[in-house]
Amino acid sequence: MNELEFTVLTDTQLDIVKATVPLLENGGEALTTHFYRLMLDEYPEVRPLFNRAHQASGAQPRALANGILMYARHIDRLEALGPLAAQIVNKHVALQIQPGHYPIVGACLLRAIREVLGAEVATDAVVEAWAQAYRQLADLLIAAEGEVYDALAQAPGGWRGARQFRVVRKVPESAEITSFHLEPADGGPVLAFEPGQYIGLSLIVDGEEIRRNYSLSAAPGRRGYRISVKREPGGVASNYLHDRVAEGDTLSLFPPAGEFTLDGQESGKPLVLISGGVGITPTLAMAEAALEQGGRDVVFIHYARNAQVQAFGGTIDAWAKRFPRFKAYVVHEHPATDAGRRPDATGRPSLAQLRQWLPAGGDCSAYFLGPKPFMAFVRRALRELGVPDSQARYEFFGPAEALN
Ligand SMILES: Cc1cc2nc3c(=O)[nH]c(=O)nc-3n(C[C@H](O)[C@H](O)[C@H](O)COP(=O)(O)OP(=O)(O)OC[C@H]3O[C@@H](n4cnc5c(N)ncnc54)[C@H](O)[C@@H]3O)c2cc1C
Ligand code: HEM
């Protein structure tokens, strides 16, 4: 799109937006919580896009508040937003956010600004500056998302919107994780993806549409995709998939997206993959792709609660036998006495363990994923072990959150 087509703010509007940063720092979350309530109550058409659990936990309002705050801070140098913008675009693409959704969000955000900040603070000038700022950001995101949608549709095996995939195999991997092997129902080829990416899934559960993301848990290059889903107690999508989706059924998939991917430029460095629980899924695709490609050491560290819930033990052992440059360490928090893979260690994750297993000096490419406290620990440990932040990447299985 031509740059001139984008909305531009006046200097006064820029100043107003920057001046409201402290207000957002203090009240951003209250604002976005109110905003979501308004939007979900009054616009039923956008409800399927949003995960109610993320609203309830406050994680999604926090992620949006952070997005808006970062935007207001960088309004006069939007290029500094780069990585955050890429994260938003990927998340939006995987859930199929469309240009027509933006005016709904804009209208609710402005109403929330008026209602939360009150008429004394949210004067007409403030609201107009924010309206203009929102249009500018919306223009940028719509254009970036449009480019990704076009690229996904035009690539070999690509598609736009939802495509039907048949469940060709459903494989229990542990007491709580089950894999679904999916192939296009139209028999056509599938789009290649980057190891670490995820798909969007649209399900109709009890007459209501819901959308969720699932990481692709096997390397690209096959006839289809594999996702591996943990049953969440009380979870709508995961229980539906486990209990009500059988081999032969079809599922609606949106094309793969995501920026938590193996970086080719680092490929000389040892690859270190650290996961907790179902966070193992993208690291499986990454490990498999790196092993198939060869040329680097792969250290695979996985933490599970116990042997019953630990998935993919067989795969990990088979890789360890087949690839001399693959080293795997599995830790169970609670050792079990009965059947199951014997862990390499037991108990809580520790710095001493990671020191022993990581390449000395910390010059590696690390990727980690798991529950938030686990990720906070891994990030601290990697810093302690000398892994530069630029070589330590992570993702959340939900709205992005602060790790500190
Ligand atoms: C990029 C990405 C990749 C992902 N990859 C995977 C993957 O590979 N494998 C995987 O298993 N998951 C993955 N996820 C998570 C997945 O998208 C779902 O969030 C997960 O399956 C839970 O969905 P659900 O519908 O079963 O649970 P939800 O219905 O969303 O509920 C989640 C939890 O919140 C509770 N809850 C729901 N509503 C409320 C409420 N109103 N108040 C309080 N508590 C509530 C539920 O009881 C449950 O414990 C990924 C997520 C992202 C963002
Ligand atoms: C300028 C406008 C917008 C901004 C700044 C914005 C920002 C964000 C941010 C920061 C996230 C979290 C990203 C992450 O967790 O990694 C997010 C996720 C999301 N956004 Fe937007 N967004 C905008 C517009 C929209 C619109 C128009 C829609 C559709 C109505 C939308 C729907 C979603 C959904 C469904 C998610 C994922 C929610 C979840 O995980 O539950 N967004 N957005």
Side-chain angles (χ1 to χ4, degrees):
M1 187 190 269
N2 185 328
E3 247 181 33
L4 297 175
E5 289 175 42
F6 286 118
T7 307
V8 177
L9 279 82
T10 63
D11 287 346
T12 316
Q13 287 173 327
L14 276 178
D15 290 342
I16 291 177
V17 170
K18 280 190 275 181
T20 39
V21 169
L23 287 176
L24 290 174
E25 273 169 344
N26 297 326
E29 227 175 298
L31 187 101
T32 47
T33 303
H34 184 60
F35 151 77
Y36 273 113
R37 203 171 302 132
L38 277 177
M39 183 172 67
L40 296 175
D41 282 352
E42 294 185 18
Y43 295 89
E45 64 269 41
V46 300
R47 274 184 214 149
L49 305 171
F50 291 92
N51 183 329
R52 289 279 173 150
H54 298 167
Q55 312 301 317
S57 71
Q60 174 58 21
R62 268 196 302 279
L64 182 64
N66 179 53
I68 293 173
L69 185 57
M70 293 294 284
Y71 171 58
R73 273 198 199 126
H74 297 108
I75 186 102
D76 42 9
R77 44 189 186 95
L78 284 174
E79 62 287 353
L81 266 181
L84 178 65
Q87 193 179 315
I88 297 172
V89 166
N90 276 289
K91 191 53 83 69
H92 283 176
V93 165
L95 293 164
Q96 293 287 301
I97 307 307
Q98 299 296 337
H101 293 133
Y102 279 85
I104 297 177
V105 167
C108 295
L109 197 58
L110 296 181
R111 233 181 96 187
I113 288 176
R114 278 192 199 279
E115 289 174 12
V116 171
L117 298 185
E120 242 173 73
V121 179
T123 59
D124 287 347
V126 166
V127 173
E128 184 41 41
W130 268 99
Q132 194 71 346
Y134 177 79
R135 279 193 288 273
Q136 177 178 291
L137 185 55
D139 284 349
L140 289 170
L141 291 176
I142 290 170
E145 286 157 20
E147 279 176 19
V148 181
Y149 288 131
D150 289 346
L152 290 168
Q154 284 153 17
W159 72 96
R160 193 181 289 280
R163 183 177 178 189
Q164 293 304 301
F165 277 69
R166 193 166 305 287
V167 179
V168 291
R169 277 199 310 139
K170 183 177 172 188
V171 182
E173 308 283 3
S174 78
E176 55 186 25
I177 297 179
T178 291
S179 286
F180 297 81
H181 295 250
L182 308 167
E183 290 184 6
D186 57 26
V190 287
L191 185 65
F193 64 91
E194 296 286 324
Q197 287 192 312
Y198 50 89
I199 47 98
L201 193 60
S202 158
L203 298 171
I204 309 290
V205 181
D206 300 331
E208 252 189 62
E209 190 201 349
I210 54 166
R211 298 187 187 185
R212 297 287 186 267
N213 299 127
Y214 290 100
S215 301
L216 294 161
S217 64
R222 291 172 176 68
R223 288 172 55 83
Y225 301 139
R226 182 181 73 181
I227 58 170
S228 306
V229 179
K230 177 188 170 206
R231 187 195 283 278
E232 291 291 345
V236 183
S238 58
N239 284 285
Y240 177 85
L241 287 165
H242 276 246
D243 297 336
R244 287 156 70 182
V245 173
E247 288 180 358
D249 289 350
T250 55
L251 294 172
S252 293
L253 256 67
F254 306 130
E259 73 293 344
F260 177 64
T261 52
L262 277 186
D263 186 341
Q265 287 169 350
E266 304 164 343
S267 62
K269 296 187 196 304
L271 175 64
V272 173
L273 303 166
I274 307 175
S275 60
V278 74
I280 194 172
T281 51
T283 67
L284 286 167
M286 289 174 169
E288 194 178 13
L291 292 171
E292 280 171 3
Q293 195 187 352
R296 69 196 298 196
D297 292 330
V298 179
V299 180
F300 192 94
I301 303 171
H302 178 59
Y303 294 86
R305 296 199 310 284
N306 57 49
Q308 281 70 40
V309 298
Q310 191 224 308
F312 299 103
T315 306
I316 296 170
D317 291 344
W319 287 344
K321 279 203 189 103
R322 188 169 150 214
F323 299 103
R325 296 186 73 172
F326 179 73
K327 294 279 171 290
Y329 305 97
V330 173
V331 186
H332 292 167
E333 188 178 351
H334 307 290
T337 46
D338 50 351
R341 185 188 191 280
R342 279 169 58 88
D344 299 282
T346 54
R348 311 277 300 165
S350 78
L351 180 64
Q353 243 165 27
L354 291 181
R355 179 172 285 122
Q356 208 184 324
W357 296 336
L358 256 63
D363 191 16
C364 61
S365 260
Y367 294 79
F368 59 98
L369 206 156
K372 186 176 162 187
F374 170 82
M375 284 169 57
F377 159 77
V378 175
R379 178 140 106 161
R380 275 196 311 275
L382 291 177
R383 281 181 176 161
E384 193 87 10
L385 297 172
V387 181
D389 277 358
S390 59
Q391 291 169 216
R393 300 179 55 197
Y394 56 91
E395 170 169 80
F396 285 92
F397 273 2
E401 296 191 62
L403 264 196
N404 296 324

